[in-house]
Amino acid sequence: MKATSVEPTPYALELCGLSKRFTLGGKMFSKKRALYAVSDVSLRVPRGQVMGLVGESGCGKSTLAKMLLGLTPPSEGDVLIQGKSITHSDQKTLARHVQPIFQDPYSSLNPRRRIGDIIALPLRLHTTLSSQERSQRVTAMLDLVGLPKRATQQYPGQLSGGQRQRVAIARALIMRPDLVICDEPTSALDVSVQAQILNLLLDLKEEFGLTYLFISHDLAVVEHLVDRLAVMYLGRIVEEGSREQIFAAPKHPYTQALLASALTPDPSLDIPDLGLGSVQPDPSRPPAGCAFHPRCPQSSPECRERRPSLPPVDLHGTGRVACHFA
Amino acid sequence: MSNNISTGITNTSAPLLKVTNLQVKLPVAAGTLNAVRGIDFEVQRGEMLCIVGESGCGKSMTSMALMGLLPQRANITASQLNFDGAELLSLTERQRSGLRGSRMAMIFQEPMTALNPAYTLGNQLCEVLRRHRKVSRQQAKERAIYLLGKVGISAAEERLDQYPHQLSGGLRQRIMIAMALMCEPDLIIADEPTTALDVTIQAQILRLLRDLQREFGTAIIFITHDLGVVARIADRVAVMYAGEIVETADTTTLFNAPQHPYTQGLINCIPTPGKTPPGSRLQAIPGVVPSLIGEVKGCAFRNRCSRAEERCTTAPALIQATQAHAVRCHFATSPVPSTAIPCEVLHESHQR
Ligand SMILES: Nc1ncnc2c1ncn2[C@@H]1O[C@H](COP(=O)(O)OP(=O)(O)OP(=O)(O)O)[C@@H](O)[C@H]1O
Ligand SMILES: [Mg+2]
């Protein structure tokens, strides 16, 4: 991980003990208290791979994504992109390396700007290309994401959801970043359009040798797309490993429940009985010990008292799990 | 608890709900939106019918039309909208609101649209029952506690004093289910009831709904865009596209031998673990849904259909493939001679 080595790092992204603390309350009668949206996350994503990030609503996935994009500073820890800490890089440098694709193609595009200007904006802000060079790059990019040339003159409101997501992808890739953070890129889209966008993301990854951090609630999509998977629960990674390892033999009880609850369209199967407690905890008052213990079918007294730690990342990418029983 | 509102002579072999040629038109700035374009379906007593389709296909409009909850400006027509012997469109608004919550109840995607943030859960649950039945406050409370237990909410007595915002999304959805069951309705319409929930919570809610449906013999129209949910929960499925029902079948037939190219496309475009090789290209349906503003000519799916030809410019009739399987497509066959199945479909169904 040292920047002194001559060999370029094999990781597009490294997170070292990353945490994000928000302060809640403090107004009127409520007492101030801390909410750890992300706690002590360490993760490495090899270059050219897709790292999936899953976990229930509010577990901290988007907060993690925002730290990687430099949109919010970490409270503790560091983010390395291509081996360099982003803490001291400026927006310009960061924009060359990492770009986002968000869930909602409706609100992430400025409705009053033409598509051509939306896609060219990062080039205007962060490069010295002439306007002619910029428009060449935009036209080439439109073609790559499967939009007609005339789209440059249109406004977001004139496009369908799928087309808008293509615009968002074009805007993300125009800077030729190494790393793309996809935060639920297809969950606002219709099923029949989702496949078009997933195919496009796969093609572009090949074309540009991209690395993706892919956040999603859809486990079938995750299994289709990722090389590795990290499972988050209440701000912490509870399990991480290769796709094959995790989908074939999930070790953490939360991962097991999560995978069991994915409903494949097979009418011969029943609705799974997870044997899981249904009360989702309050992130500002996380349970003591293992945060999952109140819902865990296997919890023991030890789980209530002592938090299981996640082993450190190793060079071989061995699977890791934070559970006393694993 | 028996129903004291009856709309007709209950004939237990007739379908509970029979819909024929239901159309919903909405005036919009650009003209008339033909949201529902003449659909037919039936719901049997105690049956779970799933209506599946993508955004804007008319599935929510259909449920709102059945409940009588569409805005005044909506133009609703039907040859038949028959609920247990009563023609819904000829009832007065008073009679219809007498049915709502009592004999037909609704569960929404976002429970906060139906729960009042200013009243306790106990108040709201009891109110539903007392509006429709002559029961004492105490009896209503007992039923509320009984049902909260049924939907898996512990410490039910204490919960009655809580307000909706004090609960998680999953708990609120359980409250909605309990509320829908208060008057023991014959029909529940559940419109994307688990879409906003996490998958682990979704699985728990779906199991609960299915178990209660069996226990109480309630018919459910379950509206969703998620084929995984449909496969696990439905007895029968109606697939909607652009305001029409394009295919109906029992669940096994729909997934194992779909005939409409749209149904086939929907099933094939989602990655299926164990069947779709990871990282491979998915079989996307090209193009987008047509606009429903103004008249739609011919088959609405033809601009995205790989099999479209000249005759698809005329609207296809509903073809009865078997008694329980109907398809709105010129290519549908009845009964299916094995040679008439296109090879790629045959190939698919062997794989699946
Ligand atoms: N600006 C903020 N101030 C205070 N709390 C916040 C803030 N942003 C996020 N949180 C809290 O941090 C936690 C993590 O939120 P985050 O949006 O990262 O979750 P998520 O995993 O992306 O959820 P979803 O799947 O619903 O998108 C939540 O409890 C959220 O309420
Ligand atoms: Mg998020």
Side-chain angles (χ1 to χ4, degrees):
Chain A
M1 255 198 270
K2 284 268 162 61
T4 47
S5 104
V6 252
E7 282 287 297
T9 156
Y11 303 108
L13 173 69
E14 293 164 81
L15 313 182
C16 316
L18 200 62
S19 297
K20 181 71 193 183
R21 184 185 55 241
F22 292 110
T23 308
L24 301 181
K27 291 188 204 106
M28 301 290 281
F29 307 108
S30 65
K31 261 176 67 185
K32 267 194 190 168
R33 61 178 199 275
L35 180 153
Y36 273 89
V38 174
S39 298
D40 194 17
V41 167
S42 294
L43 207 60
R44 279 183 188 158
V45 187
R47 187 172 297 130
Q49 292 208 351
V50 183
M51 170 69 86
L53 183 62
V54 299
E56 64 194 6
S57 185
C59 74
K61 306 179 294 295
S62 296
T63 306
L64 187 76
K66 284 183 194 142
M67 289 191 280
L68 309 186
L69 289 159
L71 297 176
T72 181
S75 311
E76 283 141 50
D78 202 1
V79 178
L80 309 182
I81 289 176
Q82 306 293 357
K84 291 203 188 66
S85 166
I86 69 163
T87 325
H88 306 293
S89 3
D90 54 305
Q91 273 300 323
K92 208 175 232 160
T93 325
L94 206 53
R96 284 180 188 281
H97 290 298
V98 54
Q99 284 287 329
I101 300 169
F102 291 116
Q103 165 176 10
D104 193 351
Y106 299 88
S107 63
S108 65
L109 304 179
N110 185 339
R112 282 188 296 271
R113 283 189 178 271
R114 291 179 201 274
I115 302 304
D117 297 334
I118 291 176
I119 299 175
L121 186 68
L123 292 178
R124 271 205 0 240
L125 292 178
H126 304 305
T127 70
T128 53
L129 295 178
S130 71
S131 92
Q132 200 195 338
E133 285 167 320
R134 287 200 303 260
S135 87
Q136 278 169 358
R137 290 267 285 266
V138 169
T139 319
M141 191 48 81
L142 278 176
D143 192 44
L144 266 174
V145 300
L147 285 171
K149 215 177 186 154
R150 66 179 142 74
T152 47
Q153 295 308 314
Q154 292 180 303
Y155 292 92
Q158 296 169 283
L159 304 181
S160 72
Q163 288 173 323
R164 277 186 258 208
Q165 203 54 300
R166 288 175 195 269
V167 173
I169 293 171
R171 180 182 57 181
L173 296 187
I174 195 92
M175 290 295 289
R176 312 253 171 91
D178 319 293
L179 176 65
V180 181
I181 311 292
C182 310
D183 193 351
E184 306 200 36
T186 61
S187 51
L189 302 178
D190 271 332
V191 197
S192 72
V193 176
Q194 166 180 290
Q196 299 171 8
I197 298 298
L198 294 177
N199 282 343
L200 177 63
L201 287 173
L202 283 168
D203 291 347
L204 293 171
K205 173 179 173 273
E206 285 304 306
E207 174 96 22
F208 295 110
L210 298 170
T211 306
Y212 290 145
L213 181 76
F214 190 87
I215 299 175
S216 175
H217 281 280
D218 188 329
L219 290 157
V221 166
V222 167
E223 183 168 359
H224 185 71
L225 227 66
V226 308
D227 299 296
R228 297 186 70 80
L229 180 63
V231 182
M232 257 180 121
Y233 191 79
L234 229 56
R236 289 177 191 273
I237 305 280
V238 296
E239 183 162 7
E240 191 255 328
S242 70
R243 176 190 66 231
E244 294 84 358
Q245 272 166 20
I246 294 195
F247 283 94
K251 293 202 175 69
H252 196 283
Y254 177 64
T255 315
Q256 290 167 358
L258 198 62
L259 299 192
S261 61
L263 304 176
T264 48
D266 182 345
S268 66
L269 297 178
D270 196 5
I271 306 163
D273 185 359
L274 305 174
L276 207 65
S278 61
V279 181
Q280 291 171 291
D282 173 355
S284 69
R285 296 184 175 86
C290 171
F292 187 58
H293 87 255
R295 296 171 71 188
C296 183
Q298 302 173 19
S299 86
S300 74
E302 188 187 13
C303 306
R304 265 162 263 159
E305 282 149 26
R306 203 167 60 80
R307 187 175 59 233
S309 59
L310 187 72
V313 223
D314 71 16
L315 286 173
H316 313 291
T318 315
R320 302 181 290 155
V321 55
C323 174
H324 292 311
F325 291 101
Chain B
M1 198 164 302
S2 70
N3 297 315
N4 51 16
I5 299 172
S6 180
T7 46
I9 305 142
T10 300
N11 173 354
T12 44
S13 65
L16 176 66
L17 179 73
K18 188 167 171 61
V19 176
T20 321
N21 195 21
L22 172 66
Q23 302 191 21
V24 179
K25 296 187 168 77
L26 273 176
V28 290
T32 302
L33 177 75
N34 293 294
V36 180
R37 302 189 298 127
I39 63 171
D40 304 340
F41 66 94
E42 289 180 3
V43 184
Q44 309 300 325
R45 279 160 220 286
E47 180 183 47
M48 177 85 77
L49 171 75
C50 272
I51 300 183
V52 62
E54 302 178 277
S55 59
C57 73
K59 49 195 200 306
S60 292
M61 287 284 177
T62 302
S63 65
M64 301 299 256
L66 294 174
M67 290 297 289
L69 291 173
L70 281 176
Q72 282 281 312
R73 62 196 169 87
N75 176 359
I76 309 162
T77 57
S79 315
Q80 252 190 114
L81 207 61
N82 192 301
F83 176 72
D84 202 14
E87 260 313 310
L88 292 178
L89 291 184
S90 51
L91 297 183
T92 63
E93 177 45 39
R94 234 186 110 99
Q95 287 170 310
R96 288 204 79 175
S97 80
L99 287 177
R100 267 198 301 275
S102 159
R103 297 201 54 211
M104 39 178 24
M106 182 134 187
I107 302 172
F108 296 91
Q109 171 173 350
E110 179 36 69
M112 284 313 273
T113 56
L115 291 171
N116 188 329
Y119 292 94
T120 64
L121 300 172
N123 252 324
Q124 298 184 58
L125 283 163
C126 296
E127 212 272 331
V128 180
L129 188 60
R130 285 168 57 80
R131 193 187 329 149
H132 297 289
R133 305 275 189 275
K134 286 196 171 59
V135 295
S136 70
R137 211 170 291 272
Q138 186 56 32
Q139 282 171 311
K141 189 176 164 192
E142 276 163 22
R143 178 145 178 93
I145 292 172
Y146 165 76
L147 283 173
L148 288 186
K150 279 277 170 206
V151 299
I153 292 181
S154 53
E157 285 235 48
E158 292 162 39
R159 294 284 185 194
L160 292 183
D161 295 329
Q162 292 191 320
Y163 291 87
H165 69 98
Q166 295 174 305
L167 304 179
S168 70
L171 278 178
R172 275 185 218 140
Q173 208 49 290
R174 283 168 199 259
I175 300 282
M176 279 299 300
I177 294 172
M179 192 182 274
L181 289 169
M182 278 305 277
C183 296
E184 231 178 280
D186 302 296
L187 177 67
I188 291 179
I189 300 176
D191 192 351
E192 304 261 9
T194 58
T195 305
L197 302 174
D198 284 309
V199 285
T200 55
I201 308 293
Q202 161 169 286
Q204 291 169 314
I205 299 284
L206 289 178
R207 247 187 111 83
L208 172 71
L209 207 56
R210 205 265 321 269
D211 291 348
L212 291 172
Q213 175 228 358
R214 291 190 182 161
E215 183 175 341
F216 295 110
T218 318
I220 298 184
I221 299 178
F222 191 108
I223 293 173
T224 179
H225 69 279
D226 186 334
L227 284 172
V229 171
V230 174
R232 306 298 183 95
I233 203 170
D235 296 315
R236 223 151 41 78
V237 187
V239 181
M240 275 189 91
Y241 185 79
E244 288 182 312
I245 292 180
V246 295
E247 185 157 13
T248 48
D250 65 274
T251 310
T252 312
T253 306
L254 191 98
F255 283 93
N256 295 341
Q259 281 210 30
H260 198 285
Y262 176 63
T263 314
Q264 294 167 351
L266 269 189
I267 294 172
N268 291 338
C269 77
I270 48 176
T272 310
K275 283 167 188 153
T276 322
S280 63
R281 287 187 68 82
L282 298 166
Q283 295 181 39
I285 303 177
V288 292
V289 184
S291 160
L292 294 180
I293 296 173
E295 205 194 328
V296 179
K297 292 199 182 71
C299 169
F301 188 60
R302 72 173 194 279
N303 64 337
R304 306 177 73 185
C305 183
S306 60
R307 306 178 68 189
E309 53 182 49
E310 187 56 37
R311 59 179 162 158
C312 302
T313 53
T314 62
L318 201 63
I319 292 174
Q320 215 62 43
T322 64
Q323 202 198 342
H325 185 183
V327 190
R328 191 176 291 281
C329 173
H330 290 300
F331 292 97
T333 44
S334 108
V336 200
S338 55
T339 49
I341 304 178
C343 353
E344 81 267 14
V345 176
L346 200 62
H347 180 64
E348 272 309 319
S349 54
H350 276 302
Q351 278 189 332
R352 264 148 216 281

